[in-house]
């Protein structure tokens, strides 16, 4: 089931002490790799925009996938890569024109 576009800015507060993700803006049945790919694309875009966070973000990705694996089977890497690439195209199309020349990768 796809729960909209979850990104790194969707967070807390956590009334039970642990993060719980609920994003119902476009609920539909979908390949779970879509949510994972969308999230990874948003992290990678953040790394492009905030280069000082690259090391942290690159370390966060395997941690996220490890945590995901404790709750359910991680989707196939090929499907994740496809959805991540599609999400990066969508993000870039929406936001690239807003970057200053000094921020271009």
């Amino acid at each position: 089931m796809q729960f909209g576009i979850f990104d790194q800015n969707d967070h807390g507060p956590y009334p039970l002490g642990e993060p719980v993700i609920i994003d119902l803006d476009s609920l539909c049945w979908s390949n779970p790799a879509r949510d994972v790919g969308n999230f990874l694309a948003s992290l990678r875009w953040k790394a492009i925009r905030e280069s000082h966070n690259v090391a942290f973000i690159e370390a966060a990705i395997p941690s996220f996938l490890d945590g995901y694996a404790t709750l359910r089977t991680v989707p196939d890497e090929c499907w994740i890569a496809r959805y991540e690439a599609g999400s990066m195209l969508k993000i870039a199309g929406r936001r690239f024109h807003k970057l200053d020349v000094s921020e271009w990768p």
Side-chain angles (χ1 to χ4, degrees), residues 7 27 30 41 46 53 55 57 61 74 93-94 98 100:
D7 68 29
L27 176 67
S30 177
K46 188 171 191 73
N53 286 323
I57 291 167
I61 290 171
V74 176
R94 289 181 185 159
K98 295 179 185 175
D100 290 334

Side-chain angles (χ1 to χ4, degrees), residues 39-62:
F39 182 66
L40 297 182
S42 71
L43 287 176
R44 294 194 198 283
W45 183 257
K46 188 171 191 73
I48 290 169
R49 290 298 311 265
E50 301 174 12
S51 59
H52 60 280
N53 286 323
V54 170
F56 174 79
I57 291 167
E58 290 302 318
I61 290 171

Side-chain angles (χ1 to χ4, degrees), residues 14-89:
Y14 310 120
L16 301 177
E18 294 184 19
V20 176
I21 301 169
I22 300 176
D23 182 8
L24 300 175
D25 61 347
S26 61
L27 176 67
C28 64
W29 286 107
S30 177
N31 183 333
R34 183 177 175 188
D35 274 333
V36 175
N38 283 338
F39 182 66
L40 297 182
S42 71
L43 287 176
R44 294 194 198 283
W45 183 257
K46 188 171 191 73
I48 290 169
R49 290 298 311 265
E50 301 174 12
S51 59
H52 60 280
N53 286 323
V54 170
F56 174 79
I57 291 167
E58 290 302 318
I61 290 171
S63 295
F64 166 74
L65 294 172
D66 290 345
Y68 189 99
T70 66
L71 300 173
R72 65 181 308 166
T73 303
V74 176
D76 180 76
E77 289 180 24
C78 291
W79 279 107
I80 292 173
R82 288 179 181 126
Y83 283 113
E84 183 178 348
S87 291
M88 282 299 287
L89 285 171

